[in-house]
Amino acid sequence: MSNFQRDCCELLAERFRSGKLDRRGFLTGLVALGAATMAAPGARAAGQELVVVNWGGDAIDAYSAAFAEAYEAATGNKLKIDGSGPLEGSMKTQFESNSVRWDVCDAEPYSAIRLGREGMMEKIDYSIVDRSKIEPGFDGEFYVPSYFYSNVIAYDAARFGDDAPSTWADFWNVAKYPGKRTLYKWMTGVLEAALLADGVAPAELYPLDVDRALAKIEVLKPHIVSFWSSGAESQQLLRDGEASMGLLWHTRANLTKQDTEGEVDWTFDQGLVSPSGWTVIKGNPAGLKAAMEFIALAQNPDNQVTLLNELGNGPANPAAHALVSEEMKPVDASSKENLERQIALQAEWYADHYGTALDKYLALVSS
């Protein structure tokens, strides 16, 4: 999941370079991703610095200077964009060495939970962050959703369009739906897909039966052309016909649909949806109040709708859904209608079991 945030920034950069996105839209997208912020009234004194870290990649490196100028012009404060990625190990090391350098992290919710339980993360201050601006049921103790994305079934519509797959059981059914498959290189979402394909009811998914999921993946493995490691790779495999079906992030699935003029399609049915999360390491240099004020600022529904329009990321603020155009409603992963078709990944389970489950998963996919 951590690679999803980096993928979003890369998509923004691609759209900006190709002329499909203007500079204002690009910067607004970075704001919504947490790669940038345009204003944080009262958060800092003029001339001070706020550091927001996400999985920026090339987009942040290429445009950080332009954004920093805009930020300083708007607020008088300095902004440091750190696109190095808030890996759990990095956050832990900063805390333990008493050298915290990030004010707000766009991290995995399960990392925030795990480090929070160990006393390394600040609890969200809901006197500053507005709980009513969070999708119900996703208000964490140590993180706040920044946006939503989903792992969905994308498929060759030219081949299967008359009887399109809509379940993970369909995905595993290579007799009815012949052709190669592609799955994510990392386990998040893949384990759930395998268990659903094996007949586990959505309400009974957790705690995940990892061994059962891996056995189901092993059955499909001869039909997997590749375990993709980047959003661009997943898109290419479907677009070029190397795979007839894939588990893709819905953002990339939708772009592939656009690129192929509908020859590749996708569905939210049995999508595996998750938020990305804002979190704060204890001892952040700007102080707790400034960090919480940034998170509150990021709840702005207008920015979240812009991110949906540009990348397809679902808003974290329920109020944003009313601002979504009819054209974009089918892409809105966190709307009531689309959430009802999906299954939410449980960050708490990953917080408890990530390491041991990942070791088993990687041993299977790399063998």
Side-chain angles (χ1 to χ4, degrees):
M1 294 199 305
S2 60
N3 289 325
F4 180 79
Q5 293 92 330
R6 189 188 301 275
D7 192 59
C8 290
C9 290
E10 290 174 354
L11 282 175
L12 277 178
E14 290 172 10
R15 289 174 60 78
F16 182 72
R17 293 188 190 105
S18 66
K20 296 179 180 178
L21 180 66
D22 60 20
R23 184 173 182 277
R24 181 180 180 183
F26 174 75
L27 294 176
T28 303
L30 293 184
V31 171
L33 285 170
T37 179
M38 290 304 294
R44 308 298 310 276
Q48 292 186 319
E49 183 177 82
L50 185 75
V51 179
V52 177
V53 60
N54 79 346
W55 311 86
D58 293 342
I60 301 304
D61 293 341
Y63 296 101
S64 60
F67 173 77
E69 291 176 2
Y71 175 78
E72 291 185 21
T75 68
N77 297 326
K78 295 181 180 179
L79 175 76
K80 182 176 180 180
I81 305 167
D82 189 329
S84 60
L87 293 169
E88 184 174 321
S90 298
M91 292 191 289
K92 186 174 183 179
T93 297
Q94 288 186 34
F95 174 82
E96 290 180 337
S97 63
N98 196 28
S99 58
V100 179
R101 61 181 187 277
W102 297 330
D103 289 306
V104 180
C105 306
D106 185 15
E108 305 289 4
Y110 59 77
S111 292
I113 294 171
R114 187 157 50 210
L115 296 181
R117 290 172 180 170
E118 296 177 9
M120 300 182 189
M121 310 305 289
E122 296 283 4
K123 291 185 178 180
I124 299 300
D125 185 348
Y126 284 108
S127 70
I128 298 175
V129 178
D130 192 338
R131 201 187 294 268
S132 73
K133 295 180 179 178
I134 302 170
E135 288 289 346
F138 291 96
D139 50 331
E141 184 176 13
F142 297 105
Y143 72 92
V144 173
S146 49
Y147 52 81
F148 284 79
Y149 66 100
S150 186
N151 303 271
V152 301
I153 298 170
Y155 57 90
D156 184 344
R159 192 172 188 179
F160 306 133
D162 293 337
D163 186 16
S166 61
T167 68
W168 293 107
D170 292 339
F171 190 95
W172 255 254
N173 190 343
V174 293
K176 182 177 180 180
Y177 299 100
K180 293 294 185 181
R181 308 296 198 257
T182 182
L183 292 171
Y184 190 24
K185 179 180 178 181
W186 304 100
M187 67 180 178
T188 311
V190 181
L191 297 179
E192 287 86 346
L195 290 170
L196 290 167
D198 206 35
V200 177
E204 297 174 356
L205 267 180
Y206 295 95
L208 297 179
D209 185 336
V210 175
D211 291 336
R212 182 175 174 178
L214 295 179
K216 191 68 174 177
I217 294 168
E218 190 164 20
V219 170
L220 189 65
K221 198 174 174 185
H223 305 280
I224 296 176
V225 63
S226 175
F227 286 89
W228 57 267
S229 59
S230 71
E233 181 185 2
S234 71
Q235 197 174 344
Q236 176 265 320
L237 288 166
L238 268 293
R239 185 179 56 228
D240 295 349
E242 294 183 59
S244 65
M245 213 177 294
L247 179 153
L248 268 65
W249 294 322
H250 83 280
T251 48
R252 285 289 182 175
N254 196 53
L255 284 176
T256 310
K257 180 178 181 178
Q258 294 172 5
D259 290 347
T260 61
E261 298 182 342
E263 290 188 1
V264 172
D265 207 344
W266 61 282
T267 178
F268 273 130
D269 291 341
Q270 291 203 337
L272 298 157
V273 65
S274 175
S276 180
W278 300 126
T279 191
V280 179
I281 308 171
K282 282 187 175 178
N284 70 294
L288 178 60
K289 185 172 184 289
M292 292 298 155
E293 287 179 342
F294 166 79
I295 294 172
L297 176 76
Q299 294 182 298
N300 183 310
D302 291 328
N303 284 348
Q304 295 189 4
V305 171
T306 297
L307 194 61
L308 171 68
N309 292 337
E310 300 300 340
L311 292 178
N313 297 33
N317 184 344
H321 300 301
L323 307 177
V324 175
S325 68
E326 289 299 320
E327 178 185 4
M328 293 303 296
K329 284 183 178 178
V331 187
D332 184 355
S334 49
S335 70
K336 180 177 182 296
E337 296 77 10
N338 289 330
L339 278 178
E340 288 176 348
R341 301 163 61 188
Q342 302 176 81
I343 300 140
L345 300 182
Q346 287 191 7
E348 290 79 7
W349 184 89
Y350 281 95
D352 291 334
H353 303 284
Y354 189 85
T356 54
L358 182 62
D359 288 344
K360 291 182 177 181
Y361 179 78
L362 292 179
L364 173 64
V365 302
S366 60
S367 63

